[in-house]
Amino acid sequence: MADVLVPPEITQEVTQILSNLVLGDNAIRSSAEKAVNDRLEQTPELYLLAIAQFATSADTELMRSFSLVLLRRLLFRPPSTQRLALYDQLSGPAIATLERILLHSLLHEPAPVVRHKTVDTVTDLSNYSMKRGRPWHALQSQVFAMADSPDVHTREAAYRVFAGCPNLIMDLQTDAILSILHKGLQDQQSTDVRLASLRASVAFLSALDVAHQAHALSLMYPMLNTLPGLPHAKLPPFLTVLTDLAGSNPHLFRPHIPALLAFLPSLLLPVVDAGPTPTVARPNPGGFAFPPPGTANGGGKGDGEEKGVSGEDDEVRKGALEFMTTLSEAKPSMLRGVEGWVNIVVRGCLEGMGEIPEDDTEAWLEADPAEDPTDDTYPHTYEHALDRVACALGGGAVLPPAFTFIPAMLASHDWRLRHAGLMAIAAIAEGTSKVMQQELGKIVDLVTPMFKDPHPRVRYAACQCIGQLCTDLEEVVQEKYHEQIFAALIPALEAPEARVHAHAAAALINFCEGVERETLIPYLDSIVERLLKLLNPAASDPSKQPKRYVQEQVITTLAMVADASEATFAKHYSSIMPLLLNVMQNANGPEYRKLRVKAMECAGLIAIAVGRDVFRPDSRRFVELLMTIQNSPVDPNDTMLSHFLIATWAKVCQALGEEFEPYLPVVMPPLLRVASSKADISIYDDDEEHEDRDGWESISMDGRQVGVKTSALEDKCQAFETLLIHASTLNARFGPYVAQVLELALPGLRFYIHEGVQEACAMLIPVLISCGKNSGTLTNQMVAATLSQVINCIANETDSSFLASLYKCFLDTVLVLGGPGALAPEIRQGVIDATKRQLNALADKRKARAARPQHEIREDREDLALIQEMEDFAIEDMQKVLRTVDAPGELMIAVSSLRQLALNLSDWESEEESAGS
């Protein structure tokens, strides 16, 4: 690249700066970073070209790779408010020179790892240029030539470029595109070329709309034919690429399901089975075995030798399972009725779930659940896949194949299979709950005997299973089967193993969340007695010291039991509240953070349950302890305290009622501070290294990673929910804070990045108006501003679920103010105009939906039913408002007409469930 006019002294300077950047010394590296920024500020073109040139001339692969990564990052670094991105500051000749350098590197770079970095930079530059209307024609012609090169690495680089910027081929004739992709998919010399071509094919198909995809469907045959001839170790990346396509364009696989069924079972079920269908049911439980006879290594699951050779096989199995699971989720109606498909996936999951290392048990028994070293070897992948498939395909499809195997698993001599059978029931409960209800008695009869299993991990799994059933079939389980469940679960609280009795206590929480008070009362004494023994075993045996995680769990369970049993819990109050207050006072070390906040939460819930009169004697000490904790120096590592403090103050408020008013000056400042917090967002380049941080989520947008601090959003939501509790509990006594809170709640209606904040604010506003009215602090300006902003939100809201909440907010506020007579004419007309706008928008949506092809409506029936249900809620609340403000009759007619535009989905009601039955 001698034609690049970078002075030698600049080249030498850049060489030194880049060398310093890769050094481990922080001071030298920081100085080099400053030097780069300074040079780019003064003469960006010269130094960018120097970095690009260094990427072709540096002596080591490390420095050439690093230069390319740095160049890519600098070129497309997000612009500041004052300056453009560096690419947009370059002149035409500079861009042309940069492109020549990169094309040279792409063609002549000898090291594959460096060439991959060149591909990344080239594709980013091409995509960035295309967005600015500057197509890179020289790249297109060079890459097409490279695809015909006799050199394997050159061909691979070409297809990598096609995968990274499919726009290079989108403007060609379809036959020409298919020809070049076919050639790469059938490359006889290199698996890497075939993989790169597969990625390019997926990128090409994904970039097409459905109509244009129809002309390229023939590409699917060579894409899928890349799989059978691959060495086993090479399969996972190919499966991963196809999985991405299955998730985004599942319909492309419809014609190929028979071929997939002929190939995938051999990957997912690595067994030799009689007959062409490896999912043939074994009707005789006595003949059931996992894995079936004929497995590699003699089926000796769990021994060290098999573990050593099965790692590669396991990755292939997981790749095949992820593909089948993703396709099932993306297009359940396409696969629900396919004979064999569900059986294979379910059996693959069950086999994988039974593969727990035998020698993990002792470590598992000793471990704190939050820091369990055996968790890394637990077969989570298979368990989660079973859950996903059940949720996607439903009970009619999943329950029959699952219960072909589960009863025999529960009867197996191998504890791992008994464990897997129980965890499988727990995993499928959510997705199959409608159908499972019909057989729930039989399932409970299968599970409850497992509480007496000799192996602790099986008993643990029984607790997990019952807890999950209580959640996923809430109220049904508690109402019909409480006797059998309590007969098993209460004795499990006395299990000798801490992991088991702690999990039994956890399962009780799930039970209490859906139980009627009358159902729980007969068992209350037995439960509390055993929980107190676990919380304070030294009371009966001074030599026993409880594990901290057991105490944390027991306190949480006591809180839920108190909440469910309400005033009846008062008889146990004197035994428990002093223990909790002592924990709050004395649990001061970092290791006791969780225990202390759990004690706060439990004491607050018990205070609500027993009522003001029982709680009053302890209320002062409780409040003083909360104030002491709140005023203690902030521990930056304690992420739980603020959340639990806010929640506990709210519980004390609910317990004391109006007597809580004197504590508002202590409670409100931190609460208002959290409620007024702004969204915490970080933006960085895709290529920029960033640490995964607890409480943050990262999403990719326009070539950048956007990090959102979700933990702060949850805190903000909790703050508004807590303000609602204080305002509704204290009413007129909350008057001094009405104006301040209203100023936060009204903008909260537009806090679009967290719907919980929006919903809480919509509920809070009418309550604040009530507080203001009853305390005499409400002004006409506050009323006008409130109603105007709510109407404005109604007019512009696109989410039907929140639209219903906005109409309810408006109606409740009007009723608090005294009814429609209290409305100014412009407010009444404003809500009528906003409603007209919404009626037109909803009508357009429903007409567009009705115009879709019938097969699409059938396939998306469940999603469409949910959308229409949300719209119906909004229409119902809209109608209430229109009646209240005495809207013109034509609007009421329009509402009726809108209802009639709904799709009639009842023809397909439960069709998917019955299809699999």
Side-chain angles (χ1 to χ4, degrees):
M1 296 303 297
D3 60 332
V4 179
L5 300 177
V6 177
E9 63 273 15
I10 299 294
T11 301
Q12 185 176 358
E13 182 185 12
V14 166
T15 301
Q16 185 60 54
I17 290 173
L18 296 182
S19 300
N20 289 343
L21 278 174
V22 298
L23 292 176
D25 186 285
N26 287 334
I28 294 175
R29 192 167 62 245
S30 296
S31 176
E33 288 172 359
K34 184 177 184 304
V36 168
N37 289 328
D38 288 346
R39 305 306 187 275
L40 292 175
E41 189 73 25
Q42 298 161 12
T43 51
E45 289 190 355
L46 193 58
Y47 280 89
L48 281 173
L49 292 178
I51 293 170
Q53 184 174 316
F54 188 69
T56 66
S57 61
D59 295 333
T60 66
E61 293 179 14
L62 171 66
M63 291 309 299
R64 296 200 300 279
S65 294
F66 175 72
S67 303
L68 287 161
V69 171
L70 180 64
L71 178 65
R72 181 178 169 212
R73 185 178 301 173
L74 293 173
L75 274 172
F76 312 118
R77 186 164 57 187
S80 66
T81 52
Q82 291 82 22
R83 300 184 63 84
L84 299 170
L86 282 176
Y87 174 89
D88 295 314
Q89 298 177 42
L90 299 179
S91 64
I95 291 175
T97 302
L98 178 63
E99 290 175 346
R100 285 203 311 277
I101 296 172
L102 290 173
L103 288 177
H104 181 274
S105 174
L106 184 65
L107 187 59
H108 298 289
E109 172 55 55
V113 65
V114 181
R115 195 180 295 201
H116 293 169
K117 299 297 184 187
T118 305
V119 168
D120 292 340
T121 306
V122 162
T123 53
D124 272 10
L125 182 58
S126 175
N127 292 329
Y128 206 86
S129 300
M130 184 64 76
K131 288 179 183 177
R132 280 151 180 72
R134 191 182 185 280
W136 189 356
H137 296 298
L139 173 64
Q140 185 182 49
S141 59
Q142 177 170 310
V143 174
F144 270 91
M146 290 171 64
D148 279 327
S149 169
D151 179 66
V152 164
H153 299 302
T154 303
R155 295 200 301 276
E156 183 202 0
Y159 286 105
R160 279 177 170 265
V161 173
F162 288 142
C165 45
N167 57 63
L168 288 177
I169 55 176
M170 297 302 290
D171 59 344
L172 301 178
Q173 290 291 325
T174 301
D175 288 346
I177 301 171
L178 297 183
S179 174
I180 194 167
L181 292 175
H182 273 235
K183 187 175 181 180
L185 291 167
Q186 295 167 351
D187 194 285
Q188 297 298 307
Q189 287 184 280
S190 171
T191 304
D192 291 335
V193 173
R194 297 201 294 275
L195 179 60
S197 183
L198 184 64
R199 289 195 174 106
S201 301
V202 168
F204 168 64
L205 288 172
S206 300
L208 296 174
D209 58 35
V210 175
H212 287 94
Q213 280 179 348
H215 301 292
L217 292 179
S218 64
L219 189 59
M220 289 296 294
Y221 290 94
M223 288 171 65
L224 293 173
N225 280 336
T226 59
L227 297 176
L230 286 171
H232 217 52
K234 298 287 188 179
L235 276 165
F238 281 77
L239 288 167
T240 298
V241 174
L242 288 169
T243 298
D244 291 341
L245 185 64
S248 59
N249 291 272
H251 60 280
L252 295 174
F253 292 87
R254 187 190 297 273
H256 307 281
I257 291 172
L260 291 169
L261 271 174
F263 175 69
L264 291 171
S266 64
L267 308 182
L268 185 55
L269 306 171
V271 298
V272 179
D273 223 349
T277 308
T279 53
V280 173
R282 291 180 171 82
N284 177 14
F288 182 91
F290 260 98
T295 51
N297 212 31
K301 190 191 311 179
D303 60 57
E305 184 183 356
E306 191 204 17
K307 283 177 72 175
V309 299
S310 66
E312 182 181 292
D313 286 344
D314 195 47
E315 287 307 305
V316 174
R317 288 169 64 193
K318 288 176 179 176
L321 178 62
E322 181 60 30
F323 173 82
M324 296 185 79
T325 304
T326 300
L327 193 57
S328 300
E329 289 178 314
K331 204 75 169 174
S333 59
M334 183 174 77
L335 296 162
R336 193 178 279 116
V338 175
E339 184 178 356
W341 183 274
V342 184
N343 300 39
I344 291 165
V345 179
V346 169
R347 180 173 159 186
C349 292
L350 294 176
E351 288 201 15
M353 288 173 67
E355 295 170 4
I356 302 172
E358 178 70 73
D359 55 2
D360 273 359
T361 297
E362 286 304 317
W364 179 85
L365 284 169
E366 291 301 316
D368 183 322
E371 301 170 355
D372 185 354
T374 70
D375 195 55
D376 293 337
T377 56
Y378 184 81
H380 291 291
T381 300
Y382 300 98
E383 188 176 311
H384 292 163
L386 186 60
D387 175 26
R388 291 163 58 195
V389 166
C391 289
L393 301 179
V398 172
L399 278 181
F403 276 90
T404 298
F405 299 117
I406 287 173
M409 294 174 75
L410 297 179
S412 171
H413 69 281
D414 187 338
W415 72 264
R416 291 168 294 181
L417 297 185
R418 303 196 300 274
H419 179 281
L422 289 165
M423 298 302 281
I425 295 173
I428 64 177
E430 179 186 3
T432 67
S433 58
K434 290 180 182 177
V435 180
M436 188 181 277
Q437 283 188 32
Q438 302 164 21
E439 304 292 337
L440 191 53
K442 295 177 183 177
I443 293 172
V444 171
D445 288 343
L446 274 174
V447 173
T448 48
M450 308 306 290
F451 279 84
K452 296 180 180 178
D453 194 278
H455 201 285
R457 295 192 73 167
V458 176
R459 284 181 271 122
Y460 176 96
C463 295
Q464 174 69 22
C465 184
I466 286 296
Q468 200 64 49
L469 289 173
C470 288
T471 296
D472 293 329
L473 290 92
E474 188 173 308
E475 296 181 4
V476 179
V477 173
Q478 288 89 331
E479 180 184 345
K480 293 185 178 180
Y481 303 104
H482 56 86
E483 281 189 46
Q484 296 101 304
I485 290 174
F486 275 135
L489 202 52
I490 292 175
L493 294 171
E494 298 180 301
E497 304 89 359
R499 290 293 297 269
V500 178
H501 59 235
H503 212 53
L508 271 174
I509 292 178
N510 300 59
F511 187 94
C512 289
E513 285 177 339
V515 72
E516 292 294 329
R517 176 176 171 274
E518 291 72 22
T519 302
L520 180 62
I521 296 307
Y523 307 100
L524 184 62
D525 292 349
S526 297
I527 293 171
V528 173
E529 176 188 341
R530 286 164 175 78
L531 290 174
L532 283 175
K533 283 182 181 177
L534 294 178
L535 181 62
N536 189 26
S540 56
D541 185 351
S543 65
K544 287 188 177 180
Q545 291 299 318
K547 292 183 181 290
R548 189 165 59 249
Y549 75 80
V550 175
Q551 290 182 306
E552 292 164 359
Q553 182 59 67
V554 167
I555 287 175
T556 306
T557 304
L558 280 168
M560 288 306 300
V561 171
D563 189 46
S565 58
E566 300 173 357
T568 312
F569 198 82
K571 63 188 291 188
H572 300 288
Y573 178 87
S574 60
S575 302
I576 297 172
M577 185 60 83
L579 292 174
L580 298 174
L581 295 178
N582 283 336
V583 170
M584 289 173 60
Q585 181 171 338
N586 299 315
N588 296 316
E591 68 275 23
Y592 294 111
R593 288 174 188 144
K594 187 174 180 181
L595 184 64
R596 181 172 64 172
V597 296
K598 290 292 183 183
M600 289 162 46
E601 178 185 50
C602 183
L605 280 169
I606 289 175
I608 295 172
V610 301
R612 188 188 322 185
D613 293 337
V614 175
F615 173 57
R616 189 180 287 112
D618 291 307
S619 62
R620 179 174 291 278
R621 185 184 174 205
F622 191 2
V623 167
E624 287 173 353
L625 287 170
L626 287 177
M627 291 171 65
T628 300
I629 293 169
Q630 180 169 299
N631 294 327
S632 299
V634 176
D635 180 354
N637 297 316
D638 190 347
T639 56
M640 298 181 289
L641 183 58
S642 173
H643 172 87
F644 278 91
L645 263 175
I646 288 173
T648 305
W649 279 122
K651 292 177 178 66
V652 176
C653 178
Q654 289 172 283
L656 292 178
E658 294 178 349
E659 295 177 21
F660 185 79
E661 182 190 5
Y663 306 119
L664 280 178
V666 175
V667 173
M668 289 300 290
L671 190 54
L672 292 171
R673 186 165 57 249
V674 176
S676 61
S677 62
K678 306 296 182 186
D680 199 346
I681 294 175
S682 295
I683 300 176
Y684 29 77
D685 293 344
D686 270 347
D687 204 48
E688 189 176 338
E689 291 186 10
H690 52 275
E691 293 181 5
D692 290 333
R693 291 178 284 179
D694 288 341
W696 285 71
E697 285 185 8
S698 182
I699 56 175
S700 183
M701 293 177 62
D702 297 329
R704 305 177 190 178
Q705 288 291 317
V706 179
V708 181
K709 191 174 183 181
T710 50
S711 59
L713 299 184
E714 293 300 329
D715 290 343
K716 186 181 182 77
C717 180
Q718 183 205 23
F720 278 111
E721 291 170 346
T722 305
L723 287 166
L724 176 59
I725 291 171
H726 289 314
S728 57
T729 303
L730 297 170
N731 203 274
R733 296 172 187 267
F734 195 75
Y737 299 95
V738 165
Q740 195 174 358
V741 177
L742 200 55
E743 287 180 5
L744 299 175
L746 288 171
L749 295 175
R750 294 187 179 86
F751 197 77
Y752 299 116
I753 59 175
H754 197 286
E755 62 184 27
V757 171
Q758 292 180 283
E759 293 286 354
C761 290
M763 290 188 285
L764 176 58
I765 286 167
V767 176
L768 291 173
I769 297 298
S770 175
C771 295
K773 181 180 177 183
N774 294 332
S775 63
T777 57
L778 191 66
T779 65
N780 291 334
Q781 292 87 343
M782 290 162 66
V783 171
T786 298
L787 293 175
S788 296
Q789 291 201 44
V790 173
I791 289 170
N792 188 264
C793 289
I794 288 173
N796 296 291
E797 184 55 54
T798 57
D799 177 7
S800 298
S801 176
F802 188 53
L803 180 62
S805 301
L806 287 170
Y807 272 113
K808 187 175 188 307
C809 172
F810 182 87
L811 181 60
D812 290 348
T813 302
V814 170
L815 295 178
V816 166
L817 291 170
L823 294 181
E826 63 271 17
I827 295 295
R828 176 182 176 275
Q829 189 58 47
V831 77
I832 289 173
D833 291 342
T835 300
K836 287 179 181 177
R837 183 169 173 174
Q838 283 294 344
L839 283 168
N840 288 331
L842 287 168
D844 289 343
K845 288 179 183 178
R846 292 195 161 187
K847 288 174 184 175
R849 223 172 279 145
R852 292 175 60 180
Q854 286 293 302
H855 72 273
E856 287 187 14
I857 295 174
R858 181 187 295 272
E859 289 177 352
D860 297 337
R861 184 193 64 79
E862 292 180 1
D863 291 339
L864 293 175
L866 183 60
I867 291 170
Q868 285 199 166
E869 185 180 16
M870 293 299 103
E871 289 176 351
D872 287 342
F873 287 142
I875 293 167
E876 186 177 337
D877 286 311
M878 176 193 296
Q879 201 167 29
K880 290 177 183 176
V881 168
L882 291 176
R883 286 198 192 104
T884 301
V885 300
D886 195 21
E890 60 265 23
L891 274 184
M892 305 305 290
I893 295 172
V895 171
S896 299
S897 301
L898 181 59
R899 290 186 189 277
Q900 293 171 7
L901 289 174
L903 293 171
N904 182 12
L905 299 171
S906 58
D907 293 343
W908 298 301
E909 190 66 36
S910 301
E911 182 178 298
E912 285 80 358
E913 292 293 344
S914 61
S917 299

